[in-house]
Amino acid sequence: MTVRRSPVLRTASAVLSSVALMATLGACGGAASGESADSLTEVSLVFEGALTVCTDMPYAPFEYEEKGKPTGFDIDLIRKVADSLEADLDVIDVSFDDITSGDSLNNDVCDVAISAMTITGERARVLDFSSPYFDAKQALITPRGSGLDAVEELAGKRVGVQKDTTGETYLSDFAPDSTQVRAYDDAAGLQAALAAGELDAAMLDNTVSGQFVSDNPRLKLAREFDTGEQYGMAVKKDGNIPLLRQINSVLADLRQDGSYDKIYGTYFG
């Protein structure tokens, strides 16, 4: 496995599920005019013999490097897909925006993206999503003793989010108008700013907030918000039907044989 560097909510649970279902069903429909039968049955990869994966690191415990190698919950899942294709796994670290905008996949930088990415209607317009593989919530992280425990109390406060995430959307929808929302390019920058006292609070997925808080005793997880979010893997829009089918098949098998629970336990207990 290798890592290569590249230079380069407003949805309730039911809506998220239907978006993923429609994306999958739409991708698995009959051949369009001029579309070959092979394009619907044979998995084609950007680089022969390797499943090339775009992700945005670090975002522990989903994707991060350990001893120079990619690891994490997402990486273990996508490795199972690569194994099913008898392909090597090649992980490329790109910006989250390059993933959610569709640029990386639709320009054939990689075959699949997995990056703790919530399925949304907006993203589904430029990406084809797999079946959901993880449920998540939003979490408000604040300094201990700050008295900040609710979104309504963020008026006039500096609140950090990661750019182009559902946390940013949630604050846009529900925080007071005077909230100073500061967007960071990656989770590492957001967490560093909060730990350094440059922010009054941060909004991020609850699945990564636990480790962050445990590493910073002066912070606390003030509150979680059930936003009905579900993560999905993504492939090129209308361009990789066989790979999408393969991903969904592997996810179903992992849940059926208990492998998913074992991988989950490794990272979340």
Side-chain angles (χ1 to χ4, degrees), residues 102-267:
D103 287 350
S104 293
L105 288 166
N106 297 329
N107 290 318
D108 293 327
V109 174
C110 50
D111 300 299
V112 58
I114 183 169
S115 197
M117 178 170 49
T118 299
I119 301 167
T120 70
E122 181 178 1
R123 292 171 182 171
R125 285 196 286 270
V126 294
L127 303 169
D128 279 344
F129 278 102
S130 70
S131 300
Y133 70 87
F134 199 92
D135 296 332
K137 302 177 182 180
Q138 287 301 305
L140 179 65
I141 308 300
T142 61
R144 293 185 182 277
S146 66
L148 298 176
D149 296 303
V151 170
E152 296 77 11
E153 298 167 346
L154 298 178
K157 302 299 182 181
R158 304 162 300 170
V159 186
V161 295
Q162 185 177 352
K163 183 181 177 182
D164 297 318
T165 62
T166 45
E168 183 176 24
T169 302
Y170 189 84
L171 283 180
S172 175
D173 287 346
F174 298 107
D177 291 340
S178 62
T179 304
Q180 302 173 42
V181 179
R182 300 184 178 180
Y184 293 79
D185 288 335
D186 53 46
L190 166 60
Q191 293 175 355
L194 183 60
E198 298 170 6
L199 297 170
D200 299 304
M203 183 74 74
L204 65 164
D205 289 7
N206 70 323
T207 47
V208 297
S209 60
Q211 184 64 47
F212 180 46
V213 168
S214 68
D215 291 341
N216 297 272
R218 60 176 292 274
L219 302 176
K220 68 174 183 178
L221 196 164
R223 183 167 298 184
E224 290 186 345
F225 305 92
D226 190 354
T227 50
E229 295 179 55
Q230 294 179 304
Y231 295 164
M233 304 182 199
V235 302
K236 184 176 184 178
K237 184 67 179 178
D238 299 328
N240 216 330
I241 297 169
L243 180 56
L244 190 65
R245 286 173 170 163
Q246 185 70 13
I247 291 169
N248 287 339
S249 176
V250 169
L251 287 173
D253 289 344
L254 291 177
R255 290 189 182 277
Q256 186 171 14
D257 67 15
S259 298
Y260 179 94
D261 292 336
K262 291 180 181 178
I263 296 172
Y264 184 97
T266 299
Y267 297 97

